[in-house]
Amino acid sequence: MTSGVPFGNYQYEIYLGGMAGQVPEHPMSWAQWEAAAEAKLDAGPRGYLFGGAGTEDAMRANLEAFRRWRIVPRMLRDVSERAMGTEILGTAMPAPVLMAPVGVQSILHDEGELASARAASALGVPYIASTAGSHTLEQIAAACGDGPRWYQLYWPRGEELAASFVARAEAAGYTGLVVTLDTSLLGWRPRDLTGAYLPFLESVGIANYLADPVFRSTLPAPPEEDPQAAVGQFVGVFANPTVTWDDLAWLREQTKLPILLKGILHPDDAREAAARGIDGVVVSNHGGRQVDGAIATLDALPGVVEAAGDDLAVLLDSGVRSGADAFKALALGARAVLLGRPAMWGLAVAGEQGVRTVLRSFLAELDLTLALSGHTSLESVGPETLVRA
Ligand code: FNR
């Protein structure tokens, strides 16, 4: 809740505007947002945002998994007062919702991550900054102001560079480290392949590298003088397919921040994470962008939650498209959801205001779903609130 006002009251603001002859400037349905973003973007960025791996089967499966669970609302309960606020690994948030790490956002809007970070922070929604940002993590931290923020690490080749990213994130006030594990190589993405479109090769989305003292020390000339050499070096260090479980001990020593592993889909991997002193996991298949045919995250969630027990905070992303979807993930044991593509539709269509409207709508839907299903807080939302369709 922001200043004690339930998020659901957003609708009254809109209807009151209607009495004064105003209708919302932005889309109010998710389908309209998606269509507006699709229409606005050029082919390259459009394919990058909307595309998935291979036949895009995992991307579809993520959405379909949510349709297979239905909410069973309960009646005659006082739902006038509601609280959605929560705290995860020391970070307080007004609702169990965070912005998923999304890189290279300047291909969607000129202000890129800065617009998204400002929109999230204005609502107190934690912003997860990607290593592959179009702006540096320090610039994004400044855009967040006092807003909560976590840093997402793509574990690069070279311990010194990895340590530098982590140290910079700590210094810039990030309070959680999300290590994305599912991108040890880039997935096979036909839409991007068709246009031979990879923005990083045009120096877009590599700001964190170009600004990094360790990265710069490995270059024959500063990136400002020889951008091609910097891109070449980036290509060599970006992905690190050699990383294994044993390397986590090294990472654990680098930082006091809570560490979450993003991309966990198997219960045994959750158990391994807990045994290695990890604090949380994000059940994710990268929005179906990495392994075509991968298990839908909502299908993977119950097994991971059971394996995690009380040892790990379990979060989920991939396919969350509405407040109802968030409710279902929370009911099946996720502590919070990460919002990915829908926030980027907002960014593409209307920059900071677009992301803000998307987030407010999403939070309003979640609050109203909670209330209208008979709940006043997240604690009472368990698996018994759902049935298999
Ligand atoms: C991503 N995702 C991602 N993940 C990550 O850890 N670092 C990154 O830089 C990116 N970049 C990125 C770009 C784009 C355009 C998309 C769509 C996704 C994955 C992201 O964090 C999240 O897992 C997915 O977006 C979830 O899927 P949906 O719900 O957006 O379909």
Side-chain angles (χ1 to χ4, degrees), residues 48-51 59 62-63 100-104 107-108 130-133 152-154 178-180 182-183 189 200 262 282 284-289 317-321 338-342 344:
Y48 194 75
L49 176 58
F50 285 86
M59 208 165 76
N62 286 335
L63 304 180
V102 171
V104 72
I107 63 171
L108 304 175
S130 165
T131 296
Q152 176 262 318
L153 178 71
Y154 275 134
V178 178
V179 186
T180 297
D182 55 24
T183 312
R189 300 180 186 167
F200 309 104
K262 178 169 180 275
V282 183
S284 172
N285 58 26
H286 214 106
R289 298 161 72 80
D317 75 17
S318 302
V320 177
R321 293 292 177 275
L338 278 52
L339 195 61
R341 288 185 175 98
M344 295 301 104

Side-chain angles (χ1 to χ4, degrees), residues 29-369:
S29 82
W30 301 114
Q32 285 171 340
W33 273 115
E34 185 170 14
E38 205 166 358
K40 178 118 187 203
L41 293 170
D42 291 339
R46 184 167 61 233
Y48 194 75
L49 176 58
F50 285 86
T55 64
E56 303 188 339
D57 178 50
M59 208 165 76
R60 276 187 299 275
N62 286 335
L63 304 180
E64 286 162 6
F66 283 95
R67 307 286 79 74
R68 287 196 297 271
W69 288 100
R70 317 298 304 181
I71 301 165
V72 188
R74 301 298 305 273
M75 300 298 132
L76 287 174
R77 296 169 167 187
D78 178 356
V79 293
S80 56
E81 306 267 336
R82 286 140 3 233
M84 292 210 295
T86 189
E87 187 179 311
I88 298 177
L89 303 176
T91 298
M93 50 199 87
V97 177
L98 303 90
M99 290 275 283
V102 171
V104 72
Q105 291 182 28
S106 64
I107 63 171
L108 304 175
H109 186 275
D110 285 348
E111 293 173 33
E113 292 83 2
L114 304 183
S116 300
R118 284 196 295 264
S121 297
L123 297 167
V125 171
Y127 185 82
I128 307 179
S130 165
T131 296
S134 312
H135 294 90
T136 64
L137 64 93
E138 289 85 2
Q139 290 169 323
I140 296 168
C144 285
D146 294 334
R149 51 188 178 271
W150 290 355
Y151 175 68
Q152 176 262 318
L153 178 71
Y154 275 134
W155 195 315
R157 279 187 191 268
E159 283 188 348
E160 278 190 8
L161 182 57
S164 178
F165 283 156
V166 173
R168 285 170 58 194
E170 268 193 51
Y174 291 85
T175 59
L177 183 65
V178 178
V179 186
T180 297
L181 301 178
D182 55 24
T183 312
S184 51
L185 301 162
L186 196 63
W188 179 258
R189 300 180 186 167
R191 294 204 213 194
D192 297 341
L193 292 162
T194 300
Y197 181 77
L198 198 60
F200 309 104
L201 303 187
E202 286 154 30
S203 293
V204 182
I206 66 172
N208 279 317
Y209 299 80
L210 300 184
D212 191 273
V214 171
F215 182 83
R216 293 176 72 96
S217 73
T218 62
L219 299 175
E224 297 76 23
E225 284 170 29
D226 189 352
Q228 268 327 105
V231 168
Q233 178 69 0
F234 161 80
V235 170
V237 301
F238 168 70
N240 186 350
T242 71
V243 173
T244 68
W245 289 103
D246 286 340
D247 295 306
L248 290 176
W250 173 86
L251 186 67
R252 187 67 283 181
E253 280 168 18
Q254 304 306 306
T255 180
K256 294 209 165 18
L257 296 181
I259 299 177
L260 299 94
L261 302 181
K262 178 169 180 275
I264 297 297
L265 293 164
H266 196 295
D268 287 350
D269 282 352
R271 280 187 202 100
E272 188 77 49
R276 304 269 180 172
I278 294 300
D279 304 287
V281 295
V282 183
V283 176
S284 172
N285 58 26
H286 214 106
R289 298 161 72 80
Q290 288 295 95
V291 178
D292 187 22
I295 184 171
T297 55
L298 199 69
D299 291 336
L301 180 65
V304 171
V305 165
E306 198 191 340
D310 294 331
D311 297 334
L312 297 167
V314 179
L315 285 65
L316 173 138
D317 75 17
S318 302
V320 177
R321 293 292 177 275
S322 66
D325 289 350
F327 182 99
K328 293 174 189 177
L330 298 169
L332 293 177
R335 294 273 305 279
V337 297
L338 278 52
L339 195 61
R341 288 185 175 98
M344 295 301 104
W345 301 335
L347 179 67
V349 172
E352 179 181 344
Q353 284 310 317
V355 178
R356 184 177 154 82
T357 306
V358 162
L359 286 175
R360 289 191 77 192
S361 302
F362 188 83
L363 295 171
E365 272 192 358
L366 177 55
D367 175 37
L368 294 170
T369 304

